[in-house]
């Protein structure tokens, strides 16, 4: 919501614009006022809406035209003042003023202000006012309302500016069609989303408990029993089907807001909409969808316990048939309050665990959100908003992990979600390996991977549940991914897959390792198709020798076709949790370049500080009968400048 309002008063000469402004400031009538009152600033603490308010007077003479047009373009709301004793000043509103605003390309709310009602006894004649104003409001949608006042008495002067503020802060136009007297489609869509989010048990009714929680969330006050009874009685009388089982249905909820707007209580509906993240254009704000959440380099993002609990509650609420899985219809209902399924561009639900009918299980649902949070936490944050995460700040649903390089240096990992890249030649069995991870049937027909494929599932490690994300890029996109250090640094494990029955398969991954700097990433080799005859690889050394030279375990032999995977996924998770055990070339490679630099300078400083002592030791050792002790070795001779 904006924090300032600029109100411009326009109208013919002699209608009392300056007098209205002066009466507001002085709180009494002033006989002689300036022709044009200087701009007035009212601080937020003295306004009902707690916003800074600027009140701008204007002249109507030919000499004022340029300044007037400039102010019209800067105004947030325009009050067109006419005089009760001058019918011509009223007739010029639809004939001149309103068309003039449109001609200037200005589309802001307009308040019609009838001044000098003291000349007819100080009475507001509502019926006559309605007969005159309604035709204008029907023709000009920008006209919000009409207020009659008297700057002389003074009477209703503060109401003029109150309604002007409301027109800016709680505008009618986005919510309500004044001509047809109905809510606008965008307003209906937004309020339906609010209703569905507040209907926590998803039974299509806001029961008393849900209504009370809605009242507390939006207005920070409980709903009194008498108020609830009054609401239900009014809706029941005027909106058939609006009340069911003692609660409000969606149609009853929409009717209630229609009544609020028609009775001028737009601030009630706007308070609700803003509490649920909507801006004046009835779109969810960027700040609502993407709250600030900084992720340091080399750290990852996971769901916190409250995040997992929220997605578990969502699953259980929409699993209407209670079969332990979300079918396509139930998934569509889950994302009814969002722009759509966040994984529509992927091969979901083939990316996660499903039952035999293809419905997503709870384990698969949580695994999918774990993968989304790891790879794109901003999407998770947005969908927490779309789906109605109850706590603020919404970032409490996420948690940061320690940097991967620190984990590798310490040799201890506390994270729960791991990313593994699966690389290998075309036809080596990468896709089949990913499918077996999700307990999906083996496919005999080979289909080349045309785009990245992901798979995520939970893996039980010593009674602790970890989530493992496997990604295969296909031979076309594999080089592009591996040459991007920002992407490869995200990987917890590199798995190199080769076809043990294909003589050329291993050479592909050997060449891949030579081309790209990946030896800082924990590594596992997997030999697929072990059900076929073992082929001698056309490589300078065989895979087992190759792995031993790197200090890695020999390739794990698996056969997806015969369902013999040798706990390869547990092995991958164990490697991710104990990274130093599987660094190619030994654990010393786990030290980052910066760590090695720090070690170099530390050793240099120590040597510099000990130079004098070493020289004394050297002189002592060169005395007759004294030799170099065995512990000096190569380091001793190097320090002393000798050769060995």
């Amino acid at each position: 919501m904006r924090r300032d309002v600029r109100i411009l008063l326009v109208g013919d000469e002699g209608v009392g614009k300056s007098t209205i402004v002066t009466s507001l400031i002085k709180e009494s009538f002033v006989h002689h006022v300036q022709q044009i009152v200087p701009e007035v600033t009212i601080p937020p603490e003295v306004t009902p809406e707690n916003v800074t308010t600027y009140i701008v007077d204007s002249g109507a003479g030919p000499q004022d035209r340029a300044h007037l047009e400039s102010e019209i373009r800067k105004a947030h709301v325009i009050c067109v003042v006419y005089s009760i004793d001058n019918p011509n000043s009223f007739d010029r509103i639809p004939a001149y003023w309103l068309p003039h605003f449109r001609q200037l390309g200005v589309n802001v709310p307009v308040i019609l202000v009838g001044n000098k009602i003291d000349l007819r006894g100080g009475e507001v004649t509502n019926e006559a006012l309605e007969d005159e104003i309604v035709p204008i409001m029907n023709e000009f949608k920008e006209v919000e309302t009409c207020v009659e006042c008297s700057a002389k008495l003074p009477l209703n002067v503060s109401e003029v500016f109150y309604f002007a503020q409301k027109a800016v802060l709680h505008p009618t136009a986005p919510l309500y069609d004044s001509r047809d007297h109905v809510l606008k489609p965008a307003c209906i869509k937004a309020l339906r989303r609010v209703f569905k989010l507040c209907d926590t048990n998803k039974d299509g009714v806001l029961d008393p408990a849900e209504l009370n929680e809605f009242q507390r969330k939006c207005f920070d006050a409980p709903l009194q029993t008498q108020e609830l009874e009054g609401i239900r009685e009014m809706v029941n009388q005027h909106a058939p089907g609006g009340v069911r089982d003692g609660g409000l249905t969606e149609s009853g909820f929409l009717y209630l807001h229609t009544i609020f707007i028609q009775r001028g209580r737009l601030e009630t509906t706007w308070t609700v909409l803003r509490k649920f993240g909507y801006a004046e254009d009835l779109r969810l704000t960027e700040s609502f969808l993407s709250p600030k959440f900084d992720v340091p380099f080399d750290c990852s993002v996971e769901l916190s316990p409250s995040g997992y609990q929220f997605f578990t509650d969502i699953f259980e609420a929409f699993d209407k048939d209670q079969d332990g899985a979300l079918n396509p219809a139930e998934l569509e209902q889950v994302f009814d309050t969002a722009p759509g399924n966040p994984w529509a561009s992927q091969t979901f639900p083939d990316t996660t665990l499903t039952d035999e009918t293809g419905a997503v299980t709870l384990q698969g649902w949580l695994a999918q959100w774990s993968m989304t949070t790891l790879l794109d936490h901003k999407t998770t944050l947005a969908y927490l908003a779309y789906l109605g995460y109850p706590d603020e700040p919404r970032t409490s649903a996420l948690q940061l992990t320690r940097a991967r390089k620190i984990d590798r240096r310490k040799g201890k990992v506390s994270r729960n979600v791991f990313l593994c890249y699966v690389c290998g030649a075309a036809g080596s069995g990468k896709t089949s390996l990913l499918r077996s991870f999700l307990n999906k049937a083996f496919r005999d027909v080979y289909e080349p991977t045309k785009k990245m494929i992901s798979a995520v599932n939970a893996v039980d490690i010593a009674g602790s549940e970890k989530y493992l994300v496997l990604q295969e890029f296909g031979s076309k996109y594999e080089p592009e991914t591996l040459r991007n250090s920002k992407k490869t640094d995200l990987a917890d494990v590199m798995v190199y897959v080769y076809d043990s029955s294909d003589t050329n398969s291993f050479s592909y991954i050997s060449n891949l390792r030579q081309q790209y700097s990946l030896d800082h990433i924990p590594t596992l080799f997997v030999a697929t198709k072990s059900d076929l005859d073992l082929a001698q690889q056309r490589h300078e050394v065989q895979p087992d020798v190759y792995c031993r030279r790197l200090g890695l375990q020999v390739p794990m032999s698996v056969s997806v076709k015969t369902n013999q995977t040798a706990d390869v996924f547990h092995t991958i998770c164990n490697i991710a949790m104990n990274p130093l055990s599987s660094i190619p070339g030994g654990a010393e490679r786990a030290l980052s370049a910066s760590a090695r630099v720090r070690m170099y300078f530390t050793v240099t400083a120590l040597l510099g500080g000990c130079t004098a002592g070493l020289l004394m030791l050297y002189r002592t050792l060169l005395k007759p009968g004294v030799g170099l002790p065995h512990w000096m070795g190569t380091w001793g001779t190097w320090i002393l400048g000798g050769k060995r």
Side-chain angles (χ1 to χ4, degrees):
M1 188 172 74
R2 68 167 60 249
R3 303 314 307 166
D4 66 315
V5 174
R6 190 173 184 84
I7 303 172
L8 173 66
L9 277 70
V10 305
D12 294 348
E13 290 185 358
V15 295
K17 303 184 296 294
S18 302
T19 309
I20 290 174
V21 176
T22 305
S23 293
L24 176 74
I25 303 304
K26 300 295 186 180
E27 297 184 351
S28 63
F29 177 65
V30 178
H31 287 277
H32 303 288
V33 299
Q34 295 174 256
Q35 185 176 2
I36 300 177
V37 176
E39 180 178 314
V40 175
T41 301
I42 301 177
E45 57 269 17
V46 299
T47 64
E49 300 291 346
N50 195 35
V51 294
T52 302
T53 304
Y54 305 97
I55 300 175
V56 182
D57 191 12
S58 66
Q63 71 278 7
D64 302 311
R65 180 177 296 274
H67 180 260
L68 175 61
E69 292 185 356
S70 173
E71 289 297 341
I72 289 173
R73 289 189 171 95
K74 291 192 292 184
H76 299 147
V77 56
I78 301 174
C79 293
V80 184
V81 183
Y82 64 95
S83 178
I84 296 297
D85 68 335
N86 183 0
N88 183 59
S89 67
F90 178 81
D91 294 339
R92 274 174 50 83
I93 293 174
Y96 172 74
W97 286 109
L98 295 174
H100 183 54
F101 302 153
R102 290 186 174 183
Q103 185 180 8
L104 294 175
V106 174
N107 182 22
V108 297
V110 174
I111 307 295
L112 305 186
V113 181
N115 190 25
K116 304 184 182 181
I117 61 172
D118 53 280
L119 296 179
R120 67 169 182 225
E123 295 181 358
V124 178
T125 55
N126 291 326
E127 292 184 4
L129 182 64
E130 185 174 339
D131 292 340
E132 295 174 336
I133 297 301
V134 167
I136 297 177
M137 295 182 70
N138 286 337
E139 182 179 356
F140 297 93
K141 294 289 189 179
E142 56 268 36
V143 177
E144 290 278 328
T145 188
C146 181
V147 184
E148 289 191 340
C149 70
S150 170
K152 185 175 182 179
L153 291 178
L155 177 68
N156 276 359
V157 172
S158 60
E159 280 75 6
V160 170
F161 298 98
Y162 170 69
F163 281 107
Q165 281 185 336
K166 282 185 62 175
V168 177
L169 302 176
H170 314 299
T172 303
L175 306 182
Y176 191 71
D177 189 325
S178 301
R179 181 177 298 169
D180 296 329
H181 306 292
V182 294
L183 297 177
K184 288 188 174 180
C187 179
I188 293 174
K189 181 180 179 181
L191 289 174
R192 280 178 172 166
R193 174 177 173 269
V194 172
F195 177 88
K196 290 173 182 177
L197 293 179
C198 294
D199 179 19
T200 53
N201 60 7
K202 311 306 175 188
D203 63 351
V205 174
L206 293 184
D207 59 38
E210 291 168 337
L211 279 170
N212 195 57
E213 178 59 24
F214 164 78
Q215 177 80 5
R216 185 203 61 76
K217 177 180 176 67
C218 295
F219 305 101
D220 199 26
L223 189 64
Q224 301 298 325
T225 304
Q226 188 175 356
E227 293 176 315
L228 177 59
E229 289 296 333
I231 290 172
R232 286 190 296 208
E233 183 178 348
M234 180 183 66
V235 173
N236 203 31
Q237 287 179 358
H238 300 94
V243 177
R244 189 176 79 229
D245 300 330
L248 285 184
T249 63
E250 184 180 282
S251 62
F253 186 72
L254 293 175
Y255 169 77
L256 195 61
H257 283 279
T258 303
I259 293 298
F260 288 150
I261 295 170
Q262 289 175 346
R263 294 181 178 178
R265 293 175 55 188
L266 288 98
E267 64 273 15
T268 301
T269 299
W270 274 116
T271 298
V272 171
L273 292 172
R274 286 171 178 143
K275 182 62 69 172
F276 282 84
Y278 289 97
E280 276 66 23
D281 59 359
L282 292 185
R283 296 180 181 178
L284 293 173
T285 64
E286 185 65 24
S287 60
F288 180 75
L289 294 175
S290 302
K292 184 177 176 59
F293 188 78
D294 295 326
V295 182
F297 173 74
D298 206 31
C299 295
S300 63
V301 185
E302 298 178 357
L303 288 173
S304 67
S306 60
Y308 278 114
Q309 186 60 55
F310 171 73
F311 284 118
T312 300
D313 292 341
I314 288 287
F315 182 95
E316 293 174 347
F318 284 93
D319 182 18
K320 294 298 184 181
D321 52 13
Q322 296 185 342
D323 63 347
L326 295 178
N327 58 44
E330 290 168 338
L331 280 170
E332 186 175 352
Q333 291 177 359
V334 168
F335 297 119
D336 191 38
T337 57
N341 189 321
W343 313 300
S345 61
Q346 304 174 20
T347 56
F348 178 83
D350 288 343
T351 54
T352 192
L353 204 63
T354 59
D355 64 12
E356 60 277 2
T357 68
V360 181
T361 64
L362 176 58
Q363 180 175 319
W365 170 255
L366 296 179
Q368 184 73 23
W369 280 113
S370 298
M371 177 170 67
T372 302
T373 305
L374 178 70
L375 301 178
D376 182 15
H377 71 275
K378 291 184 178 180
T379 294
T380 299
L381 272 176
Y383 272 78
L384 286 166
Y386 291 135
L387 302 180
Y389 183 74
D391 301 326
E392 293 295 339
R394 211 175 324 115
T395 52
S396 65
L398 307 182
Q399 61 187 19
L400 285 171
T401 67
R402 192 168 60 186
R404 288 178 176 84
K405 289 184 178 180
I406 296 177
D407 279 344
R408 289 169 187 163
R409 189 166 65 241
K410 291 181 176 292
K412 185 179 181 182
V413 176
S414 58
R415 289 176 292 117
N416 297 302
V417 187
F418 304 113
L419 177 61
C420 170
Y421 288 166
V422 181
C423 302
S428 60
K430 302 186 297 294
T431 303
S432 295
L433 189 67
L434 266 63
R435 287 181 58 81
S436 71
F437 184 40
L438 304 177
N439 299 327
K440 298 187 185 298
F442 175 77
R443 292 174 178 171
D444 284 307
V445 179
Y446 170 68
E447 295 181 8
T449 301
K450 296 181 180 179
K451 63 178 183 178
M452 185 186 71
I453 298 176
S454 299
V456 60
N457 202 349
V459 179
D460 186 278
I461 302 294
S464 176
E465 193 171 69
K466 307 293 181 182
Y467 289 100
L468 178 60
V469 179
L470 304 180
Q471 286 194 325
E472 175 206 345
F473 307 99
S475 301
K476 181 178 180 180
Y477 300 103
E478 208 165 60
E480 177 184 340
T481 302
L482 297 183
R483 72 167 60 100
N484 187 335
S485 61
K486 290 184 178 179
K487 289 186 177 180
T488 56
D489 284 345
L490 297 177
D492 296 293
V493 182
M494 293 291 301
V495 170
Y496 297 101
V497 176
Y498 71 97
D499 179 355
S500 61
S501 66
D502 181 353
T503 57
N504 298 311
S505 188
F506 189 78
S507 293
Y508 175 87
I509 56 178
S510 176
N511 293 333
L512 205 66
R513 290 193 66 256
Q514 289 178 0
Q515 289 179 356
Y516 307 106
S517 301
L518 304 171
D519 281 356
H520 62 291
I521 306 174
T523 300
L524 177 69
F525 288 82
V526 175
T528 59
K529 307 182 185 181
S530 63
D531 55 303
L532 303 178
D533 291 338
L534 181 66
Q536 190 81 359
Q537 294 295 316
R538 292 176 181 171
H539 192 261
E540 55 188 19
V541 295
Q542 292 306 296
D544 57 335
V545 177
Y546 184 90
C547 289
R548 288 192 184 98
R549 288 181 178 179
L550 290 174
L552 302 175
Q553 70 178 79
V554 297
M556 295 188 70
S557 295
V558 301
S559 171
V560 175
K561 185 175 183 179
T562 59
N563 199 29
Q564 296 175 345
T565 55
D567 286 336
V568 65
F569 308 114
H570 284 80
T571 302
I572 295 172
C573 273
N574 279 319
I575 289 174
M577 294 176 66
N578 301 280
L580 292 182
S581 64
S582 300
I583 298 292
E588 64 273 9
R589 286 186 178 268
L591 287 173
S592 65
S594 60
R596 291 196 295 270
V597 169
R598 286 195 299 272
M599 178 179 288
Y600 167 77
F601 283 112
T602 301
V603 171
T604 303
L606 288 172
L607 292 176
C610 296
T611 301
L614 289 171
L615 288 174
M616 290 180 63
L617 175 62
Y618 175 66
R619 295 190 184 99
T620 302
L621 293 174
L622 292 183
K623 289 181 180 180
V626 179
L628 286 171
H630 70 279
W631 51 266
M632 289 294 288
T634 304
W635 277 91
T637 54
W638 176 77
I639 292 170
L640 299 175
K643 296 181 180 180
R644 188 175 178 86

